Amino acid sequence: SMQSGGDVRGVFDRLARGIKAVGDSVKAESGKDFMLDAKYGYVHSCPTNLGTGMRASVHVDLPGYTKEGVKILQARCEELHLQPRGTRGESGGQTGVTYDISNKHRLGYSEVQLVQKMIDGVNTLVKEDRELQTKHKM
């Protein structure tokens, strides 16, 4: 679910309502619920899809990190358990100073934990980017 602006909570709430609507529809049609384990999340026929698998991301301008170099940004994102991508997707490459930053981990955490990890990490990157912009007189 994509939305312009910084209302991550609004996007998350809309996603949760959508998931609930699908679950309610399945229950109404079949009389059965999705299989949900308190620890492992949704149970699927494919074990690679176990858990939430949620990727929460935002597009953010990081001109200071761009000036420092993409490898520096990638290393910092690794420390913060984030994943940087270009705005053209996983294999689309990087253009300009805008990055798609998401949580690196997908399994073993709740949806709230994954979204919060992304928010905290992006806030850290933005703060550090402002310092890098000052350093590079941008």
Side-chain angles (χ1 to χ4, degrees):
S1 179
M2 292 188 72
Q3 174 178 312
S4 292
D7 186 8
V8 175
R9 175 67 187 258
V11 173
F12 185 85
D13 288 345
R14 188 172 65 244
L15 174 64
R17 286 192 309 273
I19 291 169
K20 183 179 181 333
V22 170
D24 290 348
S25 177
V26 168
K27 178 79 172 185
E29 288 287 321
S30 69
K32 298 179 182 180
D33 291 311
F34 284 114
M35 192 173 201
L36 178 63
D37 181 272
K39 181 176 180 183
Y40 297 111
Y42 289 99
V43 181
H44 305 268
S45 59
C46 178
T48 61
N49 291 330
L50 192 65
T52 66
M54 177 182 246
R55 178 181 179 272
S57 71
V58 295
H59 287 184
V60 61
D61 290 345
L62 299 171
Y65 270 109
T66 302
K67 183 81 169 169
E68 285 284 300
V70 174
K71 295 242 184 262
I72 301 293
L73 175 60
Q74 289 171 336
R76 183 61 177 130
C77 284
E78 184 69 28
E79 294 170 354
L80 295 170
H81 305 271
L82 299 174
Q83 184 177 48
R85 296 180 181 180
T87 55
R88 290 195 255 164
E90 197 168 353
S91 58
Q94 175 55 33
T95 59
V97 300
T98 306
Y99 298 84
D100 179 303
I101 306 290
S102 64
N103 53 297
K104 181 178 178 184
H105 299 120
R106 307 283 196 264
L107 303 176
Y109 301 90
S110 73
E111 292 90 344
V112 172
Q113 289 171 312
L114 294 173
V115 171
Q116 193 62 56
K117 176 65 84 171
M118 183 272 300
I119 290 169
D120 293 344
V122 168
N123 285 339
T124 298
L125 289 175
V126 168
K127 178 180 176 287
E128 293 170 353
D129 191 78
R130 288 184 185 130
E131 294 166 2
L132 291 170
Q133 289 178 52
T134 299
K135 172 184 167 184
H136 292 292
K137 297 178 177 43
M138 299 174 74

